Amino acid sequence: AYLMYGFPTQTEQETIDSLEMVRQMFAAGVLQSAFWHLFTMTMHSPIGMQPEKFKVKKQSALVGAFANNDLVHVDETGADHEVFAFGLKKSLFNYMHGIGLTDPLQKWFEFKVPKTTIAPDYIQKILEQEMYTSPKPTARIVYLGKPPIAEHFTKSKKGSSWEMTSLTFQDKRAKFSISVPRAQGDWLVEMLKALSITNTKILTLQDVMDSYAAAGLDDFELLWDNKPVNTLHKVGLLKL
């Protein structure tokens, strides 16, 4: 994820609250990699053309050469953004390695910072709400995680038996497994490859439904909108 801080008028509190939401997204498995960038005013951006609307001042009116149009500016109402750089980058480096996800945010800074105003389960509640929404067919579906390990097994009950697939997802912190009927499991393995964020083409929910039907499978909603598949947001399956 491309993260930015230091927007005009952004306060210390808003910076810390942003970090808290990033921490929660890493803890929930929504993010695996990210980098903080300090906001830079550019000549042809709305802020660069009308800085007074955003309560900042340009220190120079000089226009840079091609692809060099950054402008030095002063934010008189916001925080001293530069002092947060080291702490933000240090926290992110640790989060990407699964370290310090439950530690207080103060740990990453050598100066006193305000306590976050974000509820500790803010992101988790949003993810749980997502489970019960019905996205439009045009919704984009992406998968941020690694390919799961698939294993087939036979399940028996009351004299009947059927083939199942176990999918195990591994990240830097823990393993997460689900089991689905074998045909759906084989389809899901291939679909997650197609949905990978590394692919240039982004698929929609309609594309996913069409693929499911083309595989000769029935009851897409029964699989996609219910457990265990609708819990895969924990490993990075997202609806945008």
Side-chain angles (χ1 to χ4, degrees):
Y2 187 97
L3 307 174
M4 293 191 69
Y5 70 102
F7 288 96
T9 74
Q10 184 175 2
T11 64
E12 290 186 3
Q13 187 66 65
E14 290 169 333
T15 302
I16 293 301
D17 286 348
S18 296
L19 176 58
E20 171 62 13
M21 286 190 278
V22 169
R23 181 197 68 78
Q24 291 185 28
M25 285 190 280
F26 270 99
V30 175
L31 289 180
Q32 284 83 39
S33 178
F35 192 84
W36 286 106
H37 293 264
L38 178 61
F39 168 82
T40 299
M41 178 191 288
T42 53
M43 172 60 68
H44 302 293
S45 67
I47 298 177
M49 292 188 289
Q50 295 180 301
E52 64 281 354
K53 281 192 172 183
F54 301 89
K55 301 180 181 180
V56 294
K57 294 181 179 179
K58 288 189 289 188
Q59 283 196 328
S60 172
L62 295 177
V63 181
F66 177 73
N68 183 26
N69 60 353
D70 294 353
L71 296 173
V72 178
H73 71 281
V74 177
D75 182 0
E76 297 180 338
T77 59
D80 184 359
H81 307 301
E82 287 81 1
V83 301
F84 287 90
F86 180 77
L88 290 175
K89 293 177 181 178
K90 181 180 179 181
S91 62
L92 207 57
F93 177 81
N94 281 272
Y95 293 164
M96 287 192 290
H97 290 81
I99 300 171
L101 289 167
T102 60
D103 293 341
L105 303 183
Q106 180 63 62
K107 172 181 178 178
W108 311 114
F109 301 92
E110 297 178 352
F111 55 93
K112 184 69 174 178
V113 298
K115 292 183 179 180
T116 182
T117 62
I118 304 299
D121 58 352
Y122 178 78
I123 295 297
Q124 188 59 44
K125 283 187 174 180
I126 291 177
L127 293 174
E128 290 172 355
Q129 291 173 1
E130 181 75 9
M131 292 166 54
Y132 300 101
T133 60
S134 297
K136 296 179 180 179
T138 54
R140 293 176 296 172
I141 311 297
V142 296
Y143 176 57
L144 306 180
K146 297 179 180 179
I149 298 173
E151 296 179 305
H152 300 114
F153 65 97
T154 301
K155 188 172 183 178
S156 300
K157 186 177 182 180
K158 295 183 179 180
S160 299
S161 61
W162 58 95
E163 293 294 307
M164 297 284 290
T165 297
S166 171
L167 301 180
T168 300
F169 300 82
Q170 175 74 61
D171 62 17
K172 295 175 181 177
R173 293 178 296 280
K175 288 183 179 180
F176 178 77
S177 298
I178 66 170
S179 294
V180 294
R182 178 164 182 168
Q184 281 87 347
D186 292 343
W187 170 82
L188 187 56
V189 168
E190 296 304 314
M191 179 49 58
L192 290 176
K193 293 178 183 178
L195 295 172
S196 174
I197 195 66
T198 60
N199 294 330
T200 55
K201 182 180 180 181
I202 303 297
L203 300 183
T204 65
L205 180 58
Q206 186 63 58
D207 294 326
V208 176
M209 291 190 290
D210 291 345
S211 169
Y212 190 83
L217 302 172
D218 298 322
D219 299 322
F220 174 79
E221 290 80 8
L222 189 62
L223 173 77
W224 192 259
D225 294 331
N226 292 282
K227 292 182 178 180
V229 173
N230 70 355
T231 63
L232 293 184
H233 62 82
K234 297 178 181 179
V235 292
L237 182 61
L238 306 180
K239 308 166 193 173
L240 306 178

